[in-house]
Amino acid sequence: MSQLFQLQLATENLAANAEQLGVSVSQLLAIQVTVSATLMPQSTLQLYLNYKIQLPSQYLADQLNWPKWQQQQVKFTDYLWEQTCLECFIASPLKPVANATTTIEYPTGYIEINASPSGSYAVYEFNSYRQPSSLPPNPLLQPNGEQRVDINWPIYPTSQSKRSIQSLLKSDSNINIESSIVSHPFTSNGNTDHAYECGFSVDLDQLTMTTTKADEMSLNHNIGLLHPCVILSFDKVVLYFAPRHATPPDFHQRQYWTAFNQ
């Protein structure tokens, strides 16, 4: 299944941002950001996230900081949110769970994924709203408790390199991405039409929460809430995009997240 998210620009400092960038407010509001989230079985169940950004002018495209994907940048990296960053917050369904003392608990933990178009990434674990509060946040570990969770940059044959994940799913739902003869990862930009696209996936077998009894293993193949977000850095101006926003913008506010229709 696939769910499409239309992201909205946070407007709290819209006029000031437009003035600093030398554009009109309407030009900033014309930036289009969409994210598709797709559950796709490979050797394990994968959550694919495909981000598309459309800018209204070459002027904005010239100022956008969109780093080029590089193989050597594919590694766990903190503080990616300080520049252009693709993000996604994931939480389990809000169902009560009885612990060993029969006390009813509700899951409050969640996972944050950061990904730069450069290939750098990070996956963090929180047991409640912004907790622990240390910076950088605690990395989410794989079920073995030793290795950090990573993300996958899907790669395709040359003939398919410009096709989106939706097109691949539509043309062949059984395509085995992992065994494709590779040309380059699924991340692209084209300044001729001011469009940018980037896609990655995460293995759901890795998303096992251990911070609280209520959250233990609740995210394993069982996504309740999804909140894809985008941070776009234009020189010294940063714009925030999400399906819905708190005021001031705060991606961690669970009440603004969307139910994921698995």
Side-chain angles (χ1 to χ4, degrees):
M1 62 83 60
S2 185
Q3 190 165 335
L4 185 66
F5 297 82
Q6 300 284 350
L7 274 55
Q8 307 298 318
L9 173 62
T11 58
E12 185 182 37
N13 299 312
L14 188 59
N17 289 336
E19 182 178 2
Q20 190 170 354
L21 282 171
V23 298
S24 66
V25 167
S26 60
Q27 282 184 292
L28 293 188
L29 291 174
I31 298 174
Q32 299 178 32
V33 181
T34 59
V35 180
S36 64
T38 304
L39 287 180
M40 188 171 175
Q42 293 295 308
S43 57
T44 59
L45 188 62
Q46 302 279 322
L47 173 65
Y48 282 86
L49 296 164
N50 181 39
Y51 296 74
K52 292 183 177 181
I53 294 96
Q54 183 78 44
L55 302 181
S57 69
Q58 183 63 50
Y59 178 78
L60 279 174
D62 290 341
Q63 297 188 70
L64 176 63
N65 174 22
W66 184 271
K68 182 179 179 180
W69 193 94
Q70 301 178 66
Q71 179 63 52
Q72 62 268 30
Q73 294 298 320
V74 179
K75 58 186 177 182
F76 193 103
T77 306
D78 291 312
Y79 299 103
L80 292 176
W81 62 82
E82 294 180 346
Q83 293 293 327
T84 292
C85 186
L86 315 174
E87 300 191 3
C88 190
F89 294 77
I90 305 174
S92 60
L94 291 175
K95 295 181 179 179
V97 178
N99 63 20
T101 63
T102 70
T103 301
I104 299 299
E105 297 181 8
Y106 288 85
T108 58
Y110 59 94
I111 289 167
E112 175 185 353
I113 301 174
N114 292 172
S116 167
S118 68
S120 301
Y121 66 89
V123 184
Y124 301 117
E125 176 181 29
F126 295 87
N127 56 36
S128 61
Y129 173 73
R130 293 186 179 274
Q131 296 299 317
S133 59
S134 57
L135 288 177
N138 293 337
L140 179 65
L141 300 180
Q142 296 186 24
N144 62 20
E146 298 176 359
Q147 298 171 293
R148 293 174 173 177
V149 167
D150 54 23
I151 68 171
N152 305 309
W153 293 100
I155 38 187
Y156 304 100
T158 302
S159 63
Q160 296 171 333
S161 62
K162 295 183 179 180
R163 298 171 63 191
S164 69
I165 190 69
Q166 292 94 337
S167 298
L168 285 167
L169 290 169
K170 190 177 296 183
S171 63
D172 184 358
S173 61
N174 295 314
I175 186 170
N176 189 339
I177 292 175
E178 294 174 340
S179 64
S180 298
I181 299 174
V182 305
S183 60
H184 60 73
F186 183 56
T187 175
S188 64
N189 68 277
N191 287 335
T192 54
D193 58 0
H194 326 308
Y196 300 79
E197 186 168 3
C198 190
F200 62 87
S201 71
V202 60
D203 182 350
L204 292 191
D205 280 344
Q206 295 187 78
L207 302 188
T208 299
M209 300 283 292
T210 57
T211 54
T212 68
K213 288 294 182 181
D215 288 316
E216 190 170 359
M217 299 195 66
S218 61
L219 280 180
N220 196 4
H221 299 192
N222 192 17
I223 298 172
L225 299 173
L226 206 64
H227 193 57
C229 310
V230 169
I231 299 172
L232 294 182
S233 175
F234 296 86
D235 194 14
K236 296 181 180 180
V237 174
V238 178
L239 302 181
Y240 300 91
F241 296 82
R244 295 194 300 154
H245 286 283
T247 304
D250 183 355
F251 295 161
H252 290 254
Q253 293 279 7
R254 186 193 290 255
Q255 63 266 38
Y256 294 91
W257 300 1
T258 304
F260 187 57
N261 302 317
Q262 285 186 228

PDB file of all heavy atoms in Angstrom, residues 52-64:
ATOM      1  N   LYS A  52       9.456  14.550  -3.243  1.00  0.00           N
ATOM      2  CA  LYS A  52       9.518  15.355  -4.464  1.00  0.00           C
ATOM      3  C   LYS A  52       9.340  16.822  -4.102  1.00  0.00           C
ATOM      4  O   LYS A  52       8.409  17.186  -3.391  1.00  0.00           O
ATOM      5  CB  LYS A  52       8.424  14.932  -5.451  1.00  0.00           C
ATOM      6  CG  LYS A  52       8.616  13.545  -6.033  1.00  0.00           C
ATOM      7  CD  LYS A  52       7.538  13.237  -7.063  1.00  0.00           C
ATOM      8  CE  LYS A  52       7.759  11.876  -7.694  1.00  0.00           C
ATOM      9  NZ  LYS A  52       6.733  11.568  -8.718  1.00  0.00           N
ATOM     10  N   ILE A  53      10.245  17.643  -4.616  1.00  0.00           N
ATOM     11  CA  ILE A  53      10.197  19.086  -4.374  1.00  0.00           C
ATOM     12  C   ILE A  53      10.158  19.795  -5.717  1.00  0.00           C
ATOM     13  O   ILE A  53      10.985  19.517  -6.602  1.00  0.00           O
ATOM     14  CB  ILE A  53      11.417  19.570  -3.558  1.00  0.00           C
ATOM     15  CG1 ILE A  53      11.382  18.984  -2.134  1.00  0.00           C
ATOM     16  CG2 ILE A  53      11.475  21.082  -3.490  1.00  0.00           C
ATOM     17  CD1 ILE A  53      12.190  17.738  -1.959  1.00  0.00           C
ATOM     18  N   GLN A  54       9.215  20.699  -5.886  1.00  0.00           N
ATOM     19  CA  GLN A  54       9.098  21.498  -7.102  1.00  0.00           C
ATOM     20  C   GLN A  54       9.183  22.973  -6.724  1.00  0.00           C
ATOM     21  O   GLN A  54       8.350  23.478  -5.968  1.00  0.00           O
ATOM     22  CB  GLN A  54       7.767  21.234  -7.806  1.00  0.00           C
ATOM     23  CG  GLN A  54       7.578  21.976  -9.121  1.00  0.00           C
ATOM     24  CD  GLN A  54       8.325  21.333 -10.279  1.00  0.00           C
ATOM     25  OE1 GLN A  54       8.300  20.119 -10.425  1.00  0.00           O
ATOM     26  NE2 GLN A  54       8.980  22.142 -11.084  1.00  0.00           N
ATOM     27  N   LEU A  55      10.205  23.660  -7.237  1.00  0.00           N
ATOM     28  CA  LEU A  55      10.373  25.079  -6.976  1.00  0.00           C
ATOM     29  C   LEU A  55       9.770  25.898  -8.121  1.00  0.00           C
ATOM     30  O   LEU A  55       9.794  25.458  -9.277  1.00  0.00           O
ATOM     31  CB  LEU A  55      11.854  25.424  -6.812  1.00  0.00           C
ATOM     32  CG  LEU A  55      12.607  24.680  -5.706  1.00  0.00           C
ATOM     33  CD1 LEU A  55      14.055  25.147  -5.652  1.00  0.00           C
ATOM     34  CD2 LEU A  55      11.940  24.868  -4.359  1.00  0.00           C
ATOM     35  N   PRO A  56       9.252  27.095  -7.829  1.00  0.00           N
ATOM     36  CA  PRO A  56       8.575  27.872  -8.873  1.00  0.00           C
ATOM     37  C   PRO A  56       9.500  28.692  -9.756  1.00  0.00           C
ATOM     38  O   PRO A  56       9.037  29.275 -10.740  1.00  0.00           O
ATOM     39  CB  PRO A  56       7.658  28.793  -8.052  1.00  0.00           C
ATOM     40  CG  PRO A  56       8.384  28.995  -6.768  1.00  0.00           C
ATOM     41  CD  PRO A  56       9.081  27.696  -6.492  1.00  0.00           C
ATOM     42  N   SER A  57      10.799  28.764  -9.439  1.00  0.00           N
ATOM     43  CA  SER A  57      11.676  29.617 -10.242  1.00  0.00           C
ATOM     44  C   SER A  57      13.116  29.143 -10.185  1.00  0.00           C
ATOM     45  O   SER A  57      13.537  28.474  -9.237  1.00  0.00           O
ATOM     46  CB  SER A  57      11.613  31.066  -9.741  1.00  0.00           C
ATOM     47  OG  SER A  57      12.221  31.183  -8.463  1.00  0.00           O
ATOM     48  N   GLN A  58      13.865  29.521 -11.218  1.00  0.00           N
ATOM     49  CA  GLN A  58      15.287  29.221 -11.249  1.00  0.00           C
ATOM     50  C   GLN A  58      16.021  29.997 -10.168  1.00  0.00           C
ATOM     51  O   GLN A  58      17.020  29.532  -9.612  1.00  0.00           O
ATOM     52  CB  GLN A  58      15.864  29.574 -12.617  1.00  0.00           C
ATOM     53  CG  GLN A  58      17.340  29.223 -12.787  1.00  0.00           C
ATOM     54  CD  GLN A  58      17.597  27.730 -12.692  1.00  0.00           C
ATOM     55  OE1 GLN A  58      16.926  26.945 -13.360  1.00  0.00           O
ATOM     56  NE2 GLN A  58      18.566  27.328 -11.871  1.00  0.00           N
ATOM     57  N   TYR A  59      15.507  31.168  -9.839  1.00  0.00           N
ATOM     58  CA  TYR A  59      16.131  31.999  -8.802  1.00  0.00           C
ATOM     59  C   TYR A  59      16.182  31.255  -7.473  1.00  0.00           C
ATOM     60  O   TYR A  59      17.221  31.237  -6.797  1.00  0.00           O
ATOM     61  CB  TYR A  59      15.351  33.307  -8.663  1.00  0.00           C
ATOM     62  CG  TYR A  59      15.885  34.231  -7.588  1.00  0.00           C
ATOM     63  CD1 TYR A  59      17.024  35.002  -7.804  1.00  0.00           C
ATOM     64  CD2 TYR A  59      15.252  34.326  -6.350  1.00  0.00           C
ATOM     65  CE1 TYR A  59      17.509  35.851  -6.817  1.00  0.00           C
ATOM     66  CE2 TYR A  59      15.734  35.168  -5.354  1.00  0.00           C
ATOM     67  CZ  TYR A  59      16.863  35.926  -5.598  1.00  0.00           C
ATOM     68  OH  TYR A  59      17.346  36.754  -4.613  1.00  0.00           O
ATOM     69  N   LEU A  60      15.072  30.623  -7.071  1.00  0.00           N
ATOM     70  CA  LEU A  60      15.068  29.847  -5.833  1.00  0.00           C
ATOM     71  C   LEU A  60      15.929  28.604  -5.969  1.00  0.00           C
ATOM     72  O   LEU A  60      16.620  28.203  -5.021  1.00  0.00           O
ATOM     73  CB  LEU A  60      13.638  29.463  -5.460  1.00  0.00           C
ATOM     74  CG  LEU A  60      12.806  30.541  -4.760  1.00  0.00           C
ATOM     75  CD1 LEU A  60      11.362  30.071  -4.593  1.00  0.00           C
ATOM     76  CD2 LEU A  60      13.402  30.912  -3.414  1.00  0.00           C
ATOM     77  N   ALA A  61      15.899  27.975  -7.148  1.00  0.00           N
ATOM     78  CA  ALA A  61      16.720  26.781  -7.355  1.00  0.00           C
ATOM     79  C   ALA A  61      18.201  27.092  -7.192  1.00  0.00           C
ATOM     80  O   ALA A  61      18.972  26.290  -6.656  1.00  0.00           O
ATOM     81  CB  ALA A  61      16.452  26.198  -8.743  1.00  0.00           C
ATOM     82  N   ASP A  62      18.609  28.283  -7.633  1.00  0.00           N
ATOM     83  CA  ASP A  62      20.017  28.670  -7.519  1.00  0.00           C
ATOM     84  C   ASP A  62      20.442  28.851  -6.063  1.00  0.00           C
ATOM     85  O   ASP A  62      21.620  28.718  -5.733  1.00  0.00           O
ATOM     86  CB  ASP A  62      20.268  29.968  -8.284  1.00  0.00           C
ATOM     87  CG  ASP A  62      20.189  29.787  -9.788  1.00  0.00           C
ATOM     88  OD1 ASP A  62      20.306  28.640 -10.251  1.00  0.00           O
ATOM     89  OD2 ASP A  62      19.991  30.798 -10.495  1.00  0.00           O
ATOM     90  N   GLN A  63      19.492  29.182  -5.187  1.00  0.00           N
ATOM     91  CA  GLN A  63      19.822  29.403  -3.780  1.00  0.00           C
ATOM     92  C   GLN A  63      19.645  28.165  -2.913  1.00  0.00           C
ATOM     93  O   GLN A  63      20.100  28.146  -1.769  1.00  0.00           O
ATOM     94  CB  GLN A  63      18.941  30.531  -3.217  1.00  0.00           C
ATOM     95  CG  GLN A  63      19.163  31.873  -3.896  1.00  0.00           C
ATOM     96  CD  GLN A  63      18.431  32.988  -3.189  1.00  0.00           C
ATOM     97  OE1 GLN A  63      18.789  33.387  -2.082  1.00  0.00           O
ATOM     98  NE2 GLN A  63      17.375  33.488  -3.810  1.00  0.00           N
ATOM     99  N   LEU A  64      18.988  27.153  -3.442  1.00  0.00           N
ATOM    100  CA  LEU A  64      18.719  25.959  -2.637  1.00  0.00           C
ATOM    101  C   LEU A  64      19.994  25.161  -2.390  1.00  0.00           C
ATOM    102  O   LEU A  64      20.761  24.876  -3.312  1.00  0.00           O
ATOM    103  CB  LEU A  64      17.690  25.068  -3.347  1.00  0.00           C
ATOM    104  CG  LEU A  64      17.390  23.722  -2.662  1.00  0.00           C
ATOM    105  CD1 LEU A  64      16.765  23.928  -1.291  1.00  0.00           C
ATOM    106  CD2 LEU A  64      16.500  22.856  -3.550  1.00  0.00           C
TER     107      LEU A  64
END
